[in-house]
Amino acid sequence: MNGPMLCFGDSNTYGYDPRSYLGSRYPTEERWTGILKGRGWEILNCGENGREIPHRASELEALDRLLERSGRLEGIVLMLGGNDLLQNPAFAAEDVAARMEEMLGRLLEHSAVRENGAGVLLLVPPPMRPGTWVTEERLLTQSARLGGCYGALARRLDIGFADTAPWNVDLTFDGVHFSPGGHRTFARELEQVLKHICTEKRRSQADITLGERGHPDADRYSGQI
């Protein structure tokens, strides 16, 4: 690791405790961001309760300012989309992915990524389950479909992607928020993804260095940082 990971998300990144009435959080050591920090990862927790994918001009400008004041980043981990489904009754997974594509288009042009080389990892939120916040079949169906839409988007934009559905993250009674056990599972699975990405990045950089020194496959590695 050469720098911090900026984790940009909603209440499940913030660490919201659904047992509270005033937006309280789980203790730092129980949040997935805090668990990763305790394992040696440099984490900037930029979660916010109720956040939808930034799409208004003011929201996109606020994202720009956040990136500017965060310094040089190793990576940007994005996990948003659940609130877009919850707050927009007509939305399907494709509508959420369209919002995400618009935001990513701006993000990928930001100097933090374009010039400073921060990697981008797109995570699909774990599919919702029946609960006090999830009483419509639409929410169950569309949240389950979001992984396919995000995966296609990530391939098109050539960014990192992980579908969290197979992780079986435990959710609380509301069908949306992580339980303490869910945070532990999420941290464990995400750490494996991050380790794999870091290993591949080091391997790519080593290959490029060999190419610059006259490796017979030098042309193969050019520009693949």
Side-chain angles (χ1 to χ4, degrees), residues 110-177:
H110 195 281
S111 60
V113 177
R114 191 176 180 86
E115 298 172 17
N116 296 335
V120 177
L121 174 62
L122 177 62
L123 303 178
V124 63
M128 298 179 193
R129 295 171 191 165
T132 56
W133 284 31
V134 184
T135 58
E136 303 174 58
E137 186 63 31
R138 175 188 68 90
L139 293 172
L140 297 172
T141 300
Q142 299 307 321
S143 67
R145 294 184 59 243
L146 196 54
C149 293
Y150 274 17
L153 174 59
R155 288 189 295 273
R156 190 161 66 249
L157 297 180
D158 193 24
I159 61 173
F161 170 73
D163 187 350
T164 66
W167 299 0
N168 294 317
V169 175
D170 186 54
L171 304 179
T172 63
F173 59 88
D174 59 22
V176 173
H177 292 107

Side-chain angles (χ1 to χ4, degrees), residues 41-60:
W41 296 87
E42 190 175 352
I43 299 292
L44 299 178
N45 185 337
C46 295
E48 181 180 290
N49 288 338
R51 176 182 278 145
E52 297 181 38
I53 298 166
H55 56 283
R56 301 180 180 88
S58 60
E59 296 167 342
L60 293 168

Side-chain angles (χ1 to χ4, degrees), residues 85-112:
L85 289 173
L86 287 165
Q87 301 298 330
N88 298 277
F91 264 28
E94 289 82 0
D95 300 298
V96 179
R99 271 192 181 179
M100 180 61 76
E101 183 168 12
E102 180 183 358
M103 188 197 81
L104 283 169
R106 185 178 181 114
L107 177 65
L108 293 174
E109 289 299 315
H110 195 281
S111 60

